[in-house]
Amino acid sequence: MPTERRGRSGSQAGGGDLWKPDLTRWGRPHYLAIADALSDDIQTGRLMPGMRLPTQRALAQVLNLNFTTVSRGYVEAHRRGLVEGRVGQGTFVIDPMATARLGGLARPQRVEPVDFTMNLPPEPDAPSLRTRMRTSFAELSGDLASLLRYQGFGGTDEDKEAALRWLGGRGIVAARERLLICPGAHSALFSILGQVAQAGDTICAERITYPGIRTLAAHRGLRLVGLPMDRHGIDPDAFAAACTRAAPKAIYLNPLLQNPTTATLSRARRQAIIAVARRYAVTIIEDDAYAHICPTPPPSFAELAPEITYYVAGVAKCLGAGLRLAFLVAPSARASLPLGDALRAATVMASPISTALTTRWIMDGTAHAIVDSVRQESAARQRIAASLLPPESYNADPHAFHVWITLPAGWTRSAFASQGRSAGLGVVGSDPFCVAGTPPEAVRLCLGGPATRQQITNGLEMLAHALEGSPALASTYI
């Protein structure tokens, strides 16, 4: 009977939208008590299948609880198979009998934590595209024996033709003698650093930059000088000042959808940097990791100043993080020769399987379809972020799959990362990105990978609530 059910759970009368459990009777941590109360009210019929539950924020206000606690309660209920989230609609009660009919048993659903730490593109989920990708991969098995043998360094003629087609989509026209196919961007960058500088020399980079270049420079024994930035990237005047002060051999730039700040250097600023580089005889190293993600990018440094630019275009950020392949264009055929020798000595060759798959995907249009999918999904996830994160709290680009959050007063990057971990959310503080000075109180959030839009929404809701409140209110320590 309804009165009897109220006595058992202490819940408020009404539909799911008005659900208000009395958590005192459960004697457990509040987030577990929320899930227990949900389970009880579903079993007793108080909450019916298909009912929409209160929003996490609304229930937190009614129960006078921290938003994170309520979010964890909903996650626990989802893990038990009690509720489901629907993008743009809310959280709904699941019919346990329907679950049983589908799976034989009403098994709890496994809900993985949302990992915002690894910067990888959203994974294509359209069935037709996934089938196309699998078919391409399967077709390689027809020539599997040759793909398991040593290959000539730098790729076959067909591989180079595919690479030049890929680079052409970025506006780069290069002779084959300047092109090298490498096993990932890191190997390319490491070899370039060895060609343009010696231990003890100075290399410039953005003050907040891709952590990989810090590691590679350290292994080469190079001094990395961080240059001041604004929301458009590095300041050309600061670059000129560094040239007179430190005499750098090269400047490393991630100029398009920069990791981590999402800044993109405009054409005008690129030309100003080129003018400084030419004046002081500084080599440009362009890491164009997101080359094909932005549909209308500014021209690359390799297009504007090919004679002083080493250009690296990895496919990991465009096609898939596990596809370790990069196309390297040297400033001249002469410069490519020692670079090729260094790469061959360190890596022997790029993986024939990765190279063959990438070549096939470029030539048959699959790569273009994957990029389109990444663009569309990245844009959708950026819209979710824009709808949830406090305005002016973050830097983003509609085409990027990461955001850079500047934390409000009171928050430290370590405290915010700890708060995220307590809720099963991984974020990266600014420390590994900072070349010089005190790291800013900021974090990077990555929106790609295997997470669904609903998981992204749930995670961002929790982090947005934390940003709007005091760190003291979010403390998870006792």
Side-chain angles (χ1 to χ4, degrees):
M1 296 175 59
T3 303
E4 187 174 286
R5 287 194 291 269
R6 278 197 298 272
R8 289 190 64 206
S9 70
S11 295
Q12 183 187 66
D17 278 326
L18 301 177
W19 184 68
K20 180 184 176 182
D22 178 5
L23 303 184
T24 59
R25 69 181 295 268
W26 298 101
R28 306 185 69 181
H30 285 151
Y31 81 95
L32 292 176
I34 290 171
D36 289 341
L38 268 168
S39 178
D40 186 75
D41 281 353
I42 291 171
Q43 291 177 26
T44 58
R46 177 166 184 74
L47 288 175
M48 303 299 294
M51 278 187 172
R52 185 175 65 183
L53 294 172
T55 66
Q56 297 171 30
R57 192 177 301 277
L59 188 60
Q61 292 174 347
V62 167
L63 298 178
N64 195 29
L65 291 176
N66 183 282
F67 176 87
T68 302
T69 299
V70 174
S71 294
R72 292 180 69 188
Y74 275 36
V75 168
E76 174 64 18
H78 193 280
R79 188 194 70 79
R80 299 184 190 181
L82 303 173
V83 300
E84 65 177 348
R86 303 174 190 170
V87 176
Q89 299 181 48
T91 302
F92 294 80
V93 176
I94 290 177
D95 181 356
M97 295 307 296
T99 304
R101 287 193 298 271
L102 289 172
L105 292 171
R107 294 188 299 267
Q109 299 182 39
R110 178 174 175 78
V111 178
E112 298 291 342
V114 182
D115 185 4
F116 289 124
T117 63
M118 297 303 292
N119 202 29
L120 62 164
E123 297 179 358
D125 62 356
S128 59
L129 179 54
R130 293 177 72 92
T131 298
R132 182 175 179 178
M133 293 166 67
R134 283 194 296 267
T135 300
S136 292
F137 193 82
E139 288 173 351
L140 292 179
S141 64
D143 194 29
L144 184 60
S146 67
L147 295 177
L148 295 178
R149 301 171 189 150
Y150 285 111
Q151 308 288 318
F153 180 80
T156 65
D157 287 342
E158 183 183 10
D159 297 331
K160 288 201 171 187
E161 179 63 30
L164 291 172
R165 180 180 294 190
W166 183 256
L167 295 171
R170 183 66 177 93
I172 297 172
V173 178
R176 292 192 181 202
E177 293 76 19
R178 295 170 53 206
L179 171 66
L180 294 168
I181 297 177
C182 313
H186 269 224
S187 65
L189 293 171
F190 190 63
S191 297
I192 292 169
L193 290 176
Q195 297 303 306
V196 302
Q198 298 178 356
D201 285 340
T202 295
I203 300 292
C204 287
E206 304 103 333
R207 177 176 175 264
I208 303 297
T209 193
Y210 171 55
I213 198 65
R214 294 183 60 197
T215 302
L216 296 174
H219 277 282
R220 286 291 188 191
L222 304 176
R223 175 173 174 254
L224 207 58
V225 172
L227 300 177
M229 305 170 61
D230 58 23
R231 63 190 183 92
H232 301 295
I234 69 166
D235 179 355
D237 291 335
F239 176 35
C243 288
T244 60
R245 182 179 67 255
K249 297 294 185 181
I251 179 171
Y252 165 85
L253 295 167
N254 178 203
L256 182 66
L257 307 180
Q258 195 240 16
N259 180 8
T261 68
T262 75
T264 291
L265 287 169
S266 67
R267 182 187 185 116
R269 190 165 290 199
R270 290 170 190 242
Q271 290 173 326
I273 291 169
I274 289 169
V276 174
R278 284 176 171 155
R279 187 189 322 153
Y280 292 97
V282 176
T283 299
I284 295 172
I285 303 172
E286 182 176 15
D287 184 359
D288 211 14
Y290 306 93
H292 290 265
I293 299 303
C294 182
T296 55
S300 68
F301 283 92
E303 182 180 355
L304 296 172
E307 79 285 359
I308 60 170
T309 301
Y310 284 88
Y311 178 85
V312 179
V315 302
K317 303 301 186 191
C318 299
L319 303 182
L323 204 56
R324 309 308 300 170
L325 198 74
F327 305 134
L328 191 167
V329 179
S332 65
R334 181 176 180 178
S336 71
L337 295 176
L339 195 57
D341 291 340
L343 278 162
R344 186 183 295 107
T347 66
V348 180
M349 62 183 180
S351 163
I353 294 176
S354 293
T355 304
L357 183 62
T358 302
T359 293
R360 181 181 291 265
W361 281 356
I362 292 172
M363 300 304 280
D364 70 10
T366 302
H368 181 73
I370 295 172
V371 168
D372 281 346
S373 172
V374 170
R375 284 178 181 171
Q376 293 173 20
E377 187 60 25
S378 296
R381 295 181 182 209
Q382 286 290 353
R383 288 193 293 270
I384 293 172
S387 71
L388 295 173
L389 295 175
E392 309 301 325
S393 70
Y394 67 102
N395 293 341
D397 184 284
H399 308 294
F401 41 82
H402 62 284
V403 299
W404 181 247
I405 295 180
T406 300
L407 299 174
W411 277 106
T412 66
R413 55 197 184 278
S414 60
F416 193 78
S418 176
Q419 173 65 13
R421 284 193 301 272
S422 72
L425 308 173
V427 303
V428 181
S430 61
D431 300 74
F433 306 101
C434 188
V435 172
T438 302
E441 300 300 348
V443 297
R444 186 192 69 181
L445 266 63
C446 301
L447 309 179
T452 64
R453 291 188 193 179
Q454 185 61 56
Q455 289 174 312
I456 294 291
T457 300
N458 293 343
L460 288 177
E461 282 179 343
M462 298 174 73
L463 295 179
H465 183 77
L467 288 170
E468 292 172 349
S470 165
L473 296 175
S475 175
T476 57
Y477 298 99
I478 56 175

